[in-house]
Amino acid sequence: DWDDLLDFIAEKKLTPILGKELYTFRDGDKLAPLDNYLSQKILELHKISDYSAASLPQAVNYLEMEKRVKSMDVIRKLKSIVKDIDFELPVLSQLLSITDLNYFINTAVYNTVLENKIFETRKQKANSINFSINEPFPDCPDLEKLTEPFVFNVFGSLLNTVDPALSEEDMLEYTGYFKEKMSGATNIVNTLKNKNLLFLGCTFPDWMVRFALRLISNEPLHEWGTKRTI
């Protein structure tokens, strides 16, 4: 499997799908999840001290459902936090140093962290497209002819989308609309259908993982492995 993986990378037949667990920053002598940091900071900004969230979607859900905080207020505060992030992200940097990987599907809404790290690591500006339910978005160019990194943000962008998927309910809505809204994005869809997919750090709830993987891969689960590797 390792030899196959190296061949897929060298032949540019691999698409990495990056989840929030890949975003770990150096905190003293250990690595800490950026997602947990953001959930803690957003709760602090709303003066919540008696609740601890295990993830950013959980924190957002608590603020919106229990504290009746408006979604736009949460987004505005999160934007201010993310804009100031300048952490060392060693695991992400190590992945980005593999220059044969030029196309990334990103499931974290704080995509600017990824795109800034691409520029820092490769000295190249990444092009990106943000999936959105409420806004139109273009297809990407022919991915076989990429000369610089490209990022598709599958749950939108905290800084650049009006409706980023922050809570689990938002993610469900995004996933439900994915096939319909992606009908015009031929190059992105063909890549998801025909490339080998490598999922890194994508630990969403079990039901969402199965649902999202079915839509993203465009293959029934029982066919995985018969045509390509996931």
Side-chain angles (χ1 to χ4, degrees):
D1 289 347
W2 185 252
D3 289 339
D4 286 343
L5 177 62
L6 295 178
D7 287 342
F8 292 152
I9 293 173
E11 295 165 9
K12 301 187 187 301
K13 294 181 179 178
L14 185 77
T15 297
I17 299 180
L18 312 182
K20 58 183 174 17
E21 273 72 25
L22 199 69
Y23 292 80
T24 54
F25 65 96
R26 196 173 296 285
D27 183 18
D29 59 352
K30 66 182 192 312
L31 294 177
L34 183 60
D35 200 74
N36 290 15
Y37 169 82
L38 292 173
S39 64
Q40 177 186 340
K41 297 298 283 187
I42 192 64
L43 290 172
E44 287 176 1
L45 285 177
H46 286 91
K47 304 188 186 316
I48 306 294
S49 58
D50 58 347
Y51 177 77
S52 177
S55 67
L56 182 58
Q58 196 176 88
V60 171
N61 187 70
Y62 177 79
L63 289 170
E64 292 181 352
M65 302 303 293
E66 300 296 330
K67 297 300 182 179
R68 302 300 177 187
V69 178
K70 291 182 179 178
S71 177
M72 290 308 299
D73 290 338
V74 175
I75 290 173
R76 190 180 71 255
K77 285 186 169 64
L78 277 172
K79 281 183 179 181
S80 66
I81 300 170
V82 170
K83 283 179 180 177
D84 292 335
I85 285 177
D86 187 25
F87 294 143
E88 185 182 351
L89 303 166
V91 178
L92 185 61
S93 296
Q94 195 168 7
L95 175 71
L96 296 177
S97 69
I98 304 173
T99 53
D100 282 326
L101 294 177
N102 233 13
Y103 173 61
F104 304 90
I105 296 175
N106 178 45
T107 68
V109 293
Y110 30 91
N111 60 294
T112 49
V113 175
L114 170 60
E115 290 162 31
N116 290 342
K117 192 57 65 176
I118 288 174
F119 183 78
E120 179 185 310
T121 304
R122 299 191 181 182
K123 307 302 182 231
Q124 289 179 296
K125 186 179 185 302
N127 291 315
S128 63
I129 290 175
N130 309 310
F131 182 69
S132 172
I133 297 174
N134 296 313
E135 293 182 307
F137 54 91
D139 193 8
C140 66
D142 185 348
L143 293 169
E144 301 297 333
K145 300 175 181 177
L146 280 181
T147 58
E148 52 194 12
F150 176 83
V151 178
F152 176 55
N153 299 304
V154 74
F155 285 126
S157 164
L158 184 61
L159 272 67
N160 302 314
T161 310
V162 298
D163 58 344
L166 291 174
S167 66
E168 284 190 10
E169 182 177 351
D170 294 336
M171 291 178 182
L172 178 59
E173 289 299 302
Y174 258 66
T175 311
Y177 277 99
F178 189 79
K179 190 171 184 180
E180 173 189 340
K181 292 281 290 183
M182 290 297 292
S183 59
T186 306
N187 288 332
I188 295 176
V189 171
N190 282 345
T191 294
L192 291 167
K193 286 171 62 176
N194 301 318
K195 298 284 187 181
N196 299 292
L197 305 180
L198 176 65
F199 291 86
L200 297 166
C202 300
T203 54
F204 295 109
D206 287 348
W207 65 267
M208 178 170 282
V209 171
R210 291 192 295 272
F211 192 30
L213 298 195
R214 174 62 182 89
L215 281 166
I216 288 176
S217 67
N218 201 34
E219 290 177 358
L221 271 64
H222 69 269
E223 290 188 6
W224 288 7
T226 59
K227 301 173 185 175
R228 62 194 173 121
T229 300
I230 301 180

